[in-house]
Amino acid sequence: MAIRHDGQIWLVDPNTDSQHWYGRDSWWDTRRNAAVGSGDLVSVEYWRVQAQIPGSNSPLRTFTLRRQPLTTQWRLDSIDDGS
């Protein structure tokens, strides 16, 4: 698995613990109504992984990724460089 960010490809380190969880979105604050059968409108999926630029001495950074309900694209929520 890899992450493309800021013109770089960051490879996820398979030897580190990844975290996966779900949060809740308050869809009623952003959308006025929902059609019957719209699907899951509240589950926000998160992954926290450690990654680094391959072939470099760059330190591992912790990326938190988020996927909003009913979307297929992942968004970068945060990056922690450990400092």
Side-chain angles (χ1 to χ4, degrees), residues 33-79:
N33 56 25
V36 174
S38 293
D40 183 353
L41 298 174
V42 297
S43 296
V44 180
E45 187 174 6
Y46 291 90
W47 276 97
R48 183 171 293 139
V49 297
Q50 291 190 315
Q52 71 183 138
I53 299 171
S56 73
N57 290 331
S58 68
L60 282 173
R61 292 192 177 177
T62 302
F63 289 74
T64 303
L65 307 167
R66 167 179 45 88
R67 187 176 60 83
Q68 290 297 115
L70 305 179
T71 65
T72 57
Q73 289 187 330
W74 287 90
R75 300 288 181 191
L76 180 61
D77 206 45
S78 67
I79 301 175

